[in-house]
Amino acid sequence: MYVYRANGASERSTADGRQALPEYAERSRPLLTWNQPIELAAAQARERVRQALDVYAVDPRAVDAAVLVASELVANACEHACGPYQLRLTVGRTLCVEVLDRGPGLPAAVLRRTSVAPDSVERGRGLLLVGRLVGGAWGSRRLAVGHCVWAEVPAR
């Protein structure tokens, strides 16, 4: 099993010394746990995801997409849910970004993947954009306390 490890455990390598993408993935440990203002949390999420993926031979476009997804999911959690929050990243054939929080869940309009705001409103489209970016591979699930929003970015 292969996951991001903060202490850099050795795994299969590519010609450039980075780790090859794993054939199978297991759930990783949290990359970030926070209860901070949105600006700081989103910036830290972008940095941690980029650092975590830097050790793998991942297409740079997939890294950029995972960074953007993490930033949006973290921003949403900070805006609409309660902490503490966690950011998780699972590396496999896809890059699964998860944000866990203590919120009640997503609004029904978002879960139906329909527009939640008229065109004249500047907010309310983040998850719809995430859905387009990842080809619809995202969702939400309830946890014992709170919920998890996730999205899968193809790694190749």
Side-chain angles (χ1 to χ4, degrees):
M1 298 292 179
Y2 298 85
V3 298
Y4 166 72
R5 289 178 174 73
N7 56 2
S10 62
E11 302 189 4
R12 296 181 303 139
S13 296
T14 62
D16 64 1
R18 296 190 304 167
Q19 294 173 17
L21 284 171
E23 291 296 318
Y24 303 98
E26 64 183 34
R27 189 162 316 281
S28 67
R29 294 184 309 239
L31 287 181
L32 181 63
T33 301
W34 79 98
N35 198 2
Q36 301 144 318
I38 191 169
E39 299 84 17
L40 183 57
Q44 285 183 338
R46 290 189 296 271
E47 180 182 337
R48 295 283 175 89
V49 169
R50 198 169 293 283
Q51 286 173 348
L53 293 176
D54 189 45
V55 301
Y56 290 102
V58 179
D59 183 311
R61 292 172 297 187
V63 173
D64 290 343
V67 166
L68 179 63
V69 165
S71 184
E72 179 61 30
L73 297 185
V74 164
N76 281 352
C78 288
E79 172 118 3
H80 301 291
C82 341
Y85 312 90
Q86 280 188 355
L87 168 67
R88 294 179 178 262
L89 175 68
T90 304
V91 178
R93 291 188 178 126
T94 64
L95 309 174
C96 184
V97 179
E98 298 176 301
V99 174
L100 295 78
D101 60 54
R102 299 286 173 115
L106 293 173
V110 174
L111 291 175
R112 288 191 309 267
R113 291 166 163 74
T114 60
S115 180
V116 295
D119 289 341
S120 62
V121 176
E122 292 185 18
R123 302 173 53 109
R125 291 179 197 79
L127 286 176
L128 298 173
L129 294 173
V130 165
R132 292 268 174 112
L133 182 63
V134 300
W138 72 275
S140 173
R141 67 180 182 276
R142 291 199 185 279
L143 304 173
V145 178
H147 81 294
C148 171
V149 179
W150 59 270
E152 290 188 347
V153 177
R156 299 172 201 252

